[in-house]
Amino acid sequence: MIRIDSNLPFHAARESGTSLKTLPSRFSSHRYLRLLLVVTAIASCLFVIQAAARYGFSHLLTTYALSSGSLSAAKKAIQLAPKDAEAHFAGAAALSLSGTPDQAVIELERAVALRSADYGLWSELGLLRDQIGDPTGALKAFDEAVARAPFYSQPRWNRGNVLLRKGEYEAAFNDLNRAAQSNPDLIPSLIDLAWSVSRGDVKLTEQLAQINGDKMRIAFARFLARHGKAKDAISQIDDAGNVPDGIKRELVEQLLAGGAFKEAFDIWKVTYGESGREAAAPSIYDGGFEGPLGFGQGGFSWRVPSDRQAASVSLDSSQPQSGSKNLRIEFRGNSNPGSVLISQLILVEPSKPGAPAGQGRRYQVNFAARSEDVVTGGLPFLSVSEASGDRKRLGQSRSLASGTTGWQFFSFEFTTTPTTTAVVLSLQRENCSTSPCPIFGSISLDSFSMEQLQ
């Protein structure tokens, strides 16, 4: 039988030398220590919670200030989080919007001091200093931004613009070119700046902008085409080598808009392969409608408007006059007699300077047409007009037949003026005596050709 000695703790106390009177005191000290630790932990948690709440609220105010430009919200955000660079940045943005850029610079300098590794803040500081007329301070800020982000385009682009305004062209275009290499979207702006500095000198622009590589040459060609420098645009395209067909079509339309018909044709004929290369001026391209028909296209092929009124245009192989196809136009009601149903731009030679009126270069247009159940008060006809200027009509065919007919041959002549370098051949309708002017039935066209008579 085991006996439990109830006096054991007291014996143990005696043996350890600890007085019974001191035990409660020691237990009390441990309890106070634990309580102190708990209170300290709670206080720390409350402090962290409060700090997080202050920062979170400051962040909300910062976001609102940046989106709305509220200066009061930005100030409150700075008050809640004075060591938050983003809050100071919001304050700078709000001050700038309120028309006090000098104070905005001070606030942005505080943001930079808090987050000096941020190249974006340095860039913004440079822009603000430049805005208040401090180019030296702006360059220092941009230097810091470039040092922190040497491969980013925007710091170099900003610094290059400041250097350009100071007249330091070599350093400026060194920065601008390196920025454009990092971000090709800046190439058109680079070319525009170089063009302004060179006062429209093509060679100097090419040198300043350091035009090289297909992408830059294509961009320069597009720029030159818009500015009427057709031959220089062609030269850049030739040097570029592989140019997408879409870019070529765009250049063709830009050159045509500027009246550079010959240069536009030189690009267009290469774009359209062997058939295009064999096309010689003056001639009608695909006069037999053997190739595909493009709707809404430009250049020197057949142009079929995409917004035709009550008419459909298609290729028909059931009964061509020559070859394997012809063009068929079906009319189904009211349409504007003045609208063009189909057209083509054609290069021609102008009359010799000093030639008497009516004695310029003469051309003859030939084609075949047939009608099927055509009923209208305004019959179709073919005409040739100036491609530029007042679009003066130079010649036209007789009206195409009404009712139903087989293939008939038509010819008509026109004479160019000293300024005529291109004409537009188009199918239109005669005006009606009443409005609206409906037309029903179908017209087929084939075997177009053109020859110079003198």
Side-chain angles (χ1 to χ4, degrees):
M1 181 176 180
I2 299 174
R3 180 180 180 183
I4 299 176
D5 188 354
S6 61
N7 294 322
L8 182 61
F10 299 99
H11 293 296
R14 290 193 191 99
E15 291 174 0
S16 65
T18 302
S19 172
L20 292 175
K21 295 181 180 180
T22 62
L23 284 174
S25 175
R26 175 169 291 187
F27 291 151
S28 177
S29 297
H30 289 171
R31 185 174 60 201
Y32 287 137
L33 180 60
R34 287 195 298 270
L35 180 60
L36 179 61
L37 290 175
V38 170
V39 171
T40 302
I42 293 173
S44 299
C45 289
L46 290 174
F47 177 79
V48 171
I49 291 171
Q50 184 185 28
R54 288 169 65 89
Y55 180 81
F57 188 43
S58 172
H59 182 70
L60 288 175
L61 290 171
T62 298
T63 302
Y64 176 72
L66 288 172
S67 61
S68 65
S70 172
L71 183 57
S72 60
K75 288 181 176 179
K76 185 62 177 178
I78 294 171
Q79 182 182 351
L80 290 171
K83 293 186 178 181
D84 181 13
E86 199 68 19
H88 289 282
F89 174 71
L95 287 167
S96 180
L97 289 174
S98 65
T100 53
D102 292 341
Q103 297 180 35
V105 167
I106 296 173
E107 202 62 55
L108 195 51
E109 286 172 346
R110 292 170 181 161
V112 167
L114 291 167
R115 201 165 70 201
S116 60
D118 190 334
Y119 86 95
L121 290 178
W122 283 109
S123 291
E124 293 295 334
L125 180 58
L127 291 172
L128 269 179
R129 285 176 175 174
D130 187 39
Q131 181 182 340
I132 65 173
D134 180 16
T136 302
L139 287 175
K140 289 180 179 179
F142 289 138
D143 288 344
E144 297 289 346
V146 170
R148 286 159 176 78
F151 302 108
Y152 282 32
S153 62
Q154 204 58 46
R156 289 189 181 276
W157 184 261
N158 292 334
R159 187 172 69 178
N161 274 275
V162 176
L163 290 169
L164 190 64
R165 291 196 297 274
K166 290 186 68 177
E168 299 180 25
Y169 298 123
E170 183 176 352
F173 278 101
N174 180 56
D175 266 346
L176 296 172
N177 276 286
R178 292 189 65 177
Q181 290 172 15
S182 297
N183 181 7
D185 291 339
L186 294 173
I187 291 176
S189 298
L190 168 64
I191 293 172
D192 190 58
L193 286 173
W195 183 262
S196 298
V197 170
S198 70
R199 298 182 180 181
D201 186 298
V202 176
K203 292 298 182 184
L204 184 55
T205 299
E206 185 174 1
Q207 178 183 349
L208 290 173
Q210 298 178 24
I211 302 297
N212 54 62
D214 290 355
K215 186 171 293 186
M216 291 196 75
R217 292 197 180 281
I218 290 171
F220 194 30
R222 297 164 80 176
F223 179 90
L224 292 170
R226 289 195 300 271
H227 286 75
K229 300 292 184 178
K231 292 183 179 180
D232 295 304
I234 295 291
S235 177
Q236 292 296 325
I237 288 296
D238 290 340
D239 292 341
N242 185 24
V243 181
D245 288 348
I247 298 296
K248 290 181 180 179
R249 286 192 290 268
E250 178 188 335
L251 284 171
V252 166
E253 294 306 312
Q254 288 177 343
L255 292 170
L256 290 179
F261 300 111
K262 176 63 170 61
E263 291 78 6
F265 182 79
D266 288 341
I267 295 178
W268 178 86
K269 69 181 180 180
V270 175
T271 305
Y272 284 85
E274 294 301 322
S275 296
R277 289 192 183 95
E278 293 171 0
S283 65
I284 296 176
Y285 176 75
D286 192 17
F289 300 100
E290 299 301 314
L293 195 62
F295 293 87
Q297 293 185 358
F300 293 83
S301 57
W302 288 108
R303 298 185 178 206
V304 183
S306 56
D307 57 346
R308 300 175 304 280
Q309 293 180 320
S312 62
V313 179
S314 62
L315 295 176
D316 182 20
S317 58
S318 61
Q319 192 181 344
Q321 195 279 323
S322 63
S324 60
K325 302 175 187 175
N326 63 262
L327 185 74
R328 179 182 176 88
I329 304 172
E330 296 187 9
F331 301 99
R332 300 186 299 272
N334 294 329
S335 63
N336 180 11
S339 62
V340 175
L341 300 168
I342 186 170
S343 64
Q344 185 174 140
L345 183 65
I346 306 168
L347 290 183
V348 294
E349 294 291 331
S351 296
K352 295 180 180 179
Q359 297 184 19
R361 296 186 187 274
R362 291 171 49 236
Y363 293 89
Q364 179 174 294
V365 176
N366 311 298
F367 66 98
R370 66 184 177 91
S371 305
E372 185 176 347
D373 300 326
V374 174
V375 178
T376 182
L379 288 169
F381 67 94
L382 271 294
S383 72
V384 168
S385 303
E386 290 267 12
S388 59
D390 58 1
R391 306 297 175 111
K392 177 184 177 182
R393 184 175 293 174
L394 303 177
Q396 69 179 70
S397 72
R398 69 181 190 273
S399 300
L400 305 188
S402 60
T404 300
T405 65
W407 286 108
Q408 297 180 340
F409 291 94
F410 294 77
S411 295
F412 67 97
E413 297 180 9
F414 68 92
T415 303
T416 62
T417 71
T419 59
T420 307
T421 56
V423 296
V424 177
L425 172 67
S426 60
L427 176 66
Q428 302 177 47
R429 288 176 56 206
E430 297 172 337
N431 291 322
C432 295
S433 57
T434 60
S435 182
C437 183
I439 180 172
F440 299 92
S442 66
I443 294 289
S444 295
L445 300 173
D446 202 356
S447 305
F448 276 89
S449 65
M450 190 171 78
E451 56 185 317
Q452 184 174 339
L453 300 179
Q454 68 176 47

